Amino acid sequence: MGVRTRLLRFAAGRPPVFVAAAPGGTRTRLLVESELRRRNGRTAASPAAASVLVVCGRPGAALAEAVDAVWDAMPGPRALVRLDEAASRAEVDAGIDRAVRELSDVAAQQADAAERRERGPWSPSGMDGHTAQSGGHADHSGHEHHTGLAMAGRADDRDGLKLDVLHVPLGPVLKDWPAGLVLGLTLQGDVVQAVEVDVAEGAAGGVPYWDEPWLRAAAGERVTVGEAERRRAAGHLDSAGRLLAVAGWEGAAEEARLLRDLALAGEAPAELPARFARFARRVKGSRTLRWMLGGIGRIDQGFAGRHGLTGPPARHPGDVLARLHGWLDGTGEALVRTGDPAPLRGTDGPRGPVGAMPSRAVLALLPELLGGAELAAARLTVASLDPDVEQLTETAWTAHE
Amino acid sequence: MSETTPAWTVVALPLVLAGLAYSAAAMDAGLRSGGGIAAPLREGVRLIVQQRRRMHAADMLLVRAGVLSLPVAAVLAAAVIPLGRTAVWDLRVGVVWFNAMEVVAWASLWLAGWGVNSAFPLVGGYRLVAQGLAYELPHMFALITAALGAGSLDFGEVAAAQHGLWFAVWMPVAFAVYLLSALAMAFWGPMGHPLADDLAGGAAAELSGPDRLVFFAGRSALLTVAAAAAVPLFLGGASGPWLPGWAWSLVKTYAVLALLVWVRGRFPVLRMDRFMAAAWLVLIPAALLQALVVGIVVLT
């Protein structure tokens, strides 16, 4: 074995993984995240920081294009793992193993690099989420930069200052971001001036993962209340984990995800409610978190009513912090009932009435809610609503401000 | 403090700094993912063999200048910090030099964030500027308070002035402000908003390969230097029983460094739109009051 192979093998030991999930791939994403935790693996925040790209679920056309852009943006040595929505735990395990082997395969990596060299560097004609800056609508004179990119246009900002206008898409592939959601932001500095909402769908239709028990019960299948409440608890913990990660509190986010996986595991261990209670106390007790999340993304009753908001965000009107506390309370209540063998009736899913697409209202109110927010606050606000694009797969759906 | 510094220390300085910075990275890996002592080495090898990405219309001169100046600033700042009782560069105004080098890191991050021609790193750069505005004044007042207590801007003399009573004990506010700004100096943990994950890694989002390695090694080195400077400023320098001076310097540096590393991931990140008010309305007045108290004590 040559020195190069040995070095590559050593370096590939714990590769940082960038996870891209398609709507419909939630189950697979959860398996991947729990498998990465078992391996003490790391997730990367950007393609440039990653060595492995894991695609969960089957992306539709627009999402596939974004995934290709991410794959293009990854430096070699790199490996790609595609796992469809039905992937088993063993398949996830094998996929990541294969990626690690591929990373230290000198011949394969050299072939990949040679092929990329031939294709040449990225050019602005293609679609690229991260690096493209296009001209702002305030300035149509369009002075072309010598690189072929249009310079950013300028417009008055909220204080009447002339500032560059950047058009930056958030999503569909972004860490701690609802799968398939695309927000076309118009930014000045780091302030959001306008938002266009779009969705990039998955190729597989299928049943929304978080609503599945309720939908199965509605279809006449026998589902217990306990099973549904486990799913509700896990759904809220998944959302809370995302929000905590966006808030930069890594330790708490990781604990939320661990609790989520415990709640989903066939027999939830007996100490789960106690462990969750400790976690909830810690999160609710954090003064720093209260300080950082209070007062942003405020939704009052009237605003919620106007957009037909239902489910937890409507039950807990207020700011990002109120919605986080709402999830935590909801999780606590759900965890008490995980052993309930009664048959499931009703349609009150984790995000509101299942079948009525509660996430549609969330998407509809985003442009108004995010306008004028700082980028960081906008991300926290989206995370605190955590719309589920899987609910919308039935209908092509676009909202423009 | 008048003996000349032997020439070999010039070679030893980057090595000692690298060793400390490596152990900080290893501690961090161990705390966060259980990666163990080899984790930073593994990451280093991964990044060295990695291809550089070509970014469209990036100003690579600015990016490289930003990335390289990070470890350089750390080494230059470390040069005036005494290990035991000798610093590589025994400068009369070492505290000012240390402060100046730390501000070089602002330029590093801004250049790297701006130069890659990408929106998220640019916003990361904006965040750094806001963070600088928030923490730098309290930080400078904390440094000045320690210097005031000793009547000198020389690290050696500041340390020597703490015979009997550490500045950390009778200037607790200045020490606390210093620790907070040490996090900010290295964009670390709760003060890591410019590099936060909500921006896909912020100013460093597009860095790959050796650029990424140098950037994050430089950041570890900055964190180490920030911890090391706390020792002569607030923790009595090299003084201590039984062990030789250099050993006490290292032990105390490690203690501060471990605290700073541990803090990461234990708190939510501080956003400057919120923190700015606290910095100007609470930290600056508190630091000024501390300086006033110290000034009165020194005069009487």
Side-chain angles (χ1 to χ4, degrees):
Chain A
M1 188 162 52
V3 176
R4 197 151 43 163
T5 312
R6 228 176 264 236
L7 266 182
L8 277 181
R9 187 159 298 179
F10 173 67
R14 268 166 211 241
V17 176
F18 189 79
V19 181
T26 303
R27 210 188 110 272
T28 309
R29 171 175 65 84
L30 300 183
L31 284 178
V32 167
E33 286 181 7
S34 100
E35 176 61 23
L36 285 176
R37 179 178 329 104
R38 196 182 63 77
R39 293 165 179 252
N40 288 328
R42 300 172 291 157
T43 49
S46 75
S51 281
V52 178
L53 173 62
V54 176
V55 184
C56 305
R58 275 177 294 163
L63 188 52
E65 215 173 306
V67 168
D68 285 348
V70 166
W71 176 239
D72 260 352
M74 280 177 54
R78 57 180 187 164
L80 174 63
V81 182
R82 286 184 190 276
L83 297 162
D84 68 15
E85 64 282 349
S88 66
R89 187 169 283 278
E91 279 168 328
V92 170
D93 189 29
I96 298 176
D97 275 344
R98 187 180 53 70
V100 170
R101 271 199 312 280
E102 219 173 283
L103 282 178
S104 49
D105 182 343
V106 177
Q109 293 301 335
Q110 278 176 341
D112 180 43
E115 195 240 331
R116 286 177 109 176
R117 251 197 314 280
E118 254 166 52
R119 257 186 304 132
W122 175 86
S123 79
S125 54
M127 186 205 108
D128 186 3
H130 270 53
T131 43
Q133 292 180 7
S134 50
H137 29 230
D139 186 350
H140 289 290
S141 59
H143 22 254
E144 290 271 309
H145 198 242
H146 62 277
T147 57
L149 275 183
M151 297 284 279
R154 294 196 296 168
D156 288 341
D157 80 340
R158 57 181 178 185
D159 302 323
L161 299 166
K162 276 249 180 271
L163 266 185
D164 283 3
V165 178
L166 294 183
H167 295 281
V168 179
L170 280 186
V173 184
L174 189 62
K175 188 170 179 266
D176 305 315
W177 182 257
L181 178 65
V182 188
L183 294 187
L185 300 186
T186 303
L187 282 184
Q188 284 186 308
D190 62 351
V191 176
V192 177
Q193 303 293 5
V195 182
E196 272 183 32
V197 182
D198 203 349
V199 292
E201 296 190 356
V207 181
Y209 178 75
W210 297 118
D211 295 344
E212 190 197 348
W214 288 269
L215 292 172
R216 271 185 17 229
E221 226 177 294
R222 192 187 145 74
V223 181
T224 64
V225 169
E227 186 189 346
E229 293 304 321
R230 270 217 307 276
R231 191 68 60 96
R232 182 196 308 279
H236 286 344
L237 282 166
D238 187 49
S239 300
R242 242 180 214 165
L243 174 56
L244 291 167
V246 174
W249 193 1
E250 226 176 283
E254 198 42 47
E255 176 72 5
R257 295 190 189 117
L258 182 65
L259 289 166
R260 170 198 73 193
D261 293 347
L262 288 176
L264 282 176
E267 300 123 71
E271 78 270 22
L272 181 61
R275 188 166 173 179
F276 169 76
R278 271 201 307 281
F279 163 76
R281 252 199 319 279
R282 186 158 70 105
V283 171
K284 283 186 179 175
S286 166
R287 281 156 182 266
T288 322
L289 194 70
R290 278 207 295 275
W291 181 23
M292 288 299 135
L293 298 189
I296 56 175
R298 194 175 279 284
I299 297 177
D300 57 24
Q301 303 264 356
F303 186 75
R306 217 164 52 246
H307 289 279
L309 195 65
T310 52
R315 278 200 296 276
H316 304 277
D319 50 18
V320 169
L321 187 69
R323 292 193 284 277
L324 174 63
H325 287 186
W327 280 332
L328 293 176
D329 294 342
T331 307
E333 287 160 22
L335 284 178
V336 176
R337 297 198 298 259
T338 50
D340 191 339
L344 177 65
R345 286 177 226 288
T347 57
D348 181 35
R351 281 175 170 78
V354 296
M357 298 187 190
S359 290
R360 186 199 289 254
V362 173
L363 263 55
L365 61 75
L366 280 180
E368 197 181 330
L369 190 59
L370 299 183
E374 250 185 305
L375 186 52
R379 280 224 56 183
L380 287 166
T381 305
V382 173
S384 74
L385 291 162
D386 203 24
D388 185 6
V389 173
E390 283 182 13
Q391 289 183 339
L392 312 172
T393 43
E394 314 289 304
T395 48
W397 192 94
T398 320
H400 292 282
E401 198 189 15
Chain B
M1 289 286 114
S2 54
E3 77 263 43
T4 51
T5 314
W8 59 265
T9 55
V10 178
V11 184
L13 172 77
L15 294 179
V16 172
L17 184 60
L20 283 167
Y22 185 93
S23 56
M27 261 191 280
D28 182 47
L31 278 175
R32 291 183 332 129
S33 60
I37 194 83
L41 183 64
R42 198 189 288 280
E43 179 68 358
V45 173
R46 184 182 78 87
L47 290 174
I48 281 180
V49 300
Q50 194 174 58
Q51 290 175 320
R52 274 207 183 90
R53 293 174 58 206
R54 277 179 292 183
M55 289 158 287
H56 191 77
D59 192 330
M60 286 318 287
L61 184 67
L62 291 189
V63 176
R64 297 272 150 75
V67 165
L68 281 176
S69 56
L70 213 49
V72 169
V75 171
L76 289 178
V80 295
I81 300 172
L83 177 68
R85 296 191 199 288
T86 45
V88 171
W89 186 15
D90 198 0
L91 190 64
R92 295 289 302 153
V93 289
V95 175
V96 177
W97 174 261
F98 169 78
N99 196 209
M101 286 308 103
E102 163 238 313
V103 176
V104 168
W106 295 21
S108 309
L109 207 71
W110 174 253
L111 288 176
W114 166 270
V116 292
N117 187 30
S118 175
F120 285 165
L122 180 64
V123 174
Y126 292 145
R127 287 180 177 182
L128 172 86
V129 176
Q131 182 158 309
L133 277 174
Y135 91 88
E136 186 58 32
L137 275 175
H139 174 64
M140 282 167 67
F141 286 128
L143 293 180
I144 288 168
T145 307
L148 185 65
S152 166
L153 288 166
D154 185 319
F155 273 109
E157 285 176 24
V158 174
Q162 299 174 56
H163 264 308
L165 192 59
W166 288 1
F167 282 177
V169 177
W170 74 279
M171 307 174 186
V173 177
F175 184 52
V177 167
Y178 180 83
L179 286 181
L180 189 66
S181 53
L183 296 172
M185 276 170 65
F187 342 111
W188 186 265
M191 299 299 261
H193 209 216
L195 300 181
D197 276 7
D198 71 329
L199 285 182
E206 303 278 0
L207 296 178
S208 62
D211 294 329
R212 195 175 185 83
L213 175 61
V214 173
F215 183 90
F216 281 100
R219 183 205 199 192
S220 269
L222 269 178
L223 189 72
T224 308
V225 168
V231 176
L233 284 173
F234 293 103
L235 300 176
S239 66
W242 308 308
L243 295 175
W246 61 266
W248 271 116
S249 286
L250 281 183
V251 167
K252 291 174 183 176
T253 300
Y254 257 115
V256 179
L257 195 53
L259 176 72
L260 297 181
V261 169
W262 176 83
V263 160
R264 182 180 191 186
R266 294 301 187 283
F267 291 94
V269 78
L270 295 173
R271 289 198 327 278
M272 285 309 125
D273 55 323
R274 292 285 156 94
F275 183 75
M276 188 73 81
W280 282 73
L281 297 176
V282 180
L283 289 187
I284 291 181
L288 277 173
L289 266 179
Q290 175 79 90
L292 182 69
V293 170
V294 170
I296 292 170
V297 171
V298 168
L299 279 180
T300 53

